[in-house]
Each structure stands twice: as structure tokens, then as C-alpha cells.
Amino acid sequence: MNTPRPAHRMLIVDDSTIIRQRIARLVNSPQLPHITIAGLAGNGAMAVELARENKPSLITMDLTMPLLDGEACIEQIIGFLPDTRILVVSALADKATALRAIKKGACGFLHKPFSDSELLESLLELMD
């Protein structure tokens, strides 16, 4: 017998509207019934504000964004929501960038471009 997964609230952070909508579409699919969207942010400052207001348990986070970059966002959000699980979704593919994000509190790293199945797998791992 399978144990039901707990419900999660997700904040999607990316300066690309196309990427935000793509992630939201997958989160709203029947494949992820345990996740609801807690907000969409197009820059780092908005991400920190929405995280304070909506207290998401999951976040997808771009690194290169206006106003506040992803690494600074991760550091700030983990400071007031230490149990939030953050998946970095970035075109920056170097190992040093991924390690810096993980040191600041990210739980995973997905490189752009990504397939729906890669994103789905990464989100399922993020919830485990």
C-alpha cells in the first residue's frame, strides 16, 4: 500500500515568462496532484516577498535574474524558511555554480534546456 504524499505549495521563480508557464503547466498536470502553485515571481526581490507571504514548501529558482540573483534569493529564503526545498533551474551549467547554490541551501540543480520528464523527475526527487 502506498503512503500518500504530503501536500506542497510551490513558488516558481524565473525571469522568463515562458519557463514560469512551462513549470506551472507541469505542476498543474495530473502527474503532480500533491503540488499547488503558491506564486510566480519574475525577479529575485519578488521571490523573497512571495516566499515571506505564502511560505512555500517547494521552490524552483532561476539564478540569473534582475533585482536580486538566485543565489542571494536562496540565502535569504532559507534564512526564514529553513525547511523549504529549492530546485535550481538554470542555464548556468558549470559545476562551481551548482555547488555554490547547494551550499546556500538548494537541494537540487536542473540545467536548461530540460524536458518535461527531467523536470518531473527532479520535482519528485525534491519532494522525497
Side-chain angles (χ1 to χ4, degrees):
M1 183 170 172
N2 291 337
T3 305
R5 289 181 183 265
H8 289 279
R9 297 170 39 81
M10 176 179 277
L11 176 62
I12 300 169
V13 184
D14 201 298
D15 62 342
S16 164
T17 303
I18 293 169
I19 297 293
R20 287 194 310 271
Q21 289 175 343
R22 183 171 174 208
I23 294 171
R25 179 178 44 81
L26 186 66
V27 168
N28 286 327
S29 75
Q31 296 166 303
L32 295 170
H34 312 292
I35 304 176
T36 57
I37 296 174
L40 304 169
N43 64 63
M46 183 185 296
V48 172
E49 182 180 325
L50 287 175
R52 282 189 194 282
E53 291 175 8
N54 300 328
K55 299 180 178 36
S57 56
L58 305 174
I59 297 175
T60 60
M61 177 72 69
D62 190 11
L63 291 179
T64 307
M65 296 184 292
L67 302 180
L68 188 66
D69 69 33
E71 287 184 42
C73 272
I74 292 168
E75 197 166 29
Q76 287 189 29
I77 291 170
I78 289 298
F80 59 86
L81 292 173
D83 295 329
T84 296
R85 302 185 57 81
I86 299 174
L87 173 67
V88 172
V89 181
S90 176
L92 300 175
D94 64 285
K95 191 174 181 176
T97 300
L99 288 174
R100 277 197 317 272
I102 288 172
K103 280 184 179 177
K104 292 186 186 280
C107 299
F109 200 100
L110 179 62
H111 298 279
K112 294 177 187 172
F114 54 84
S115 66
D116 283 355
S117 62
E118 290 170 327
L119 177 60
L120 177 64
E121 183 178 323
S122 294
L123 293 174
L124 290 171
E125 287 176 10
L126 195 64
M127 291 187 291
D128 286 338

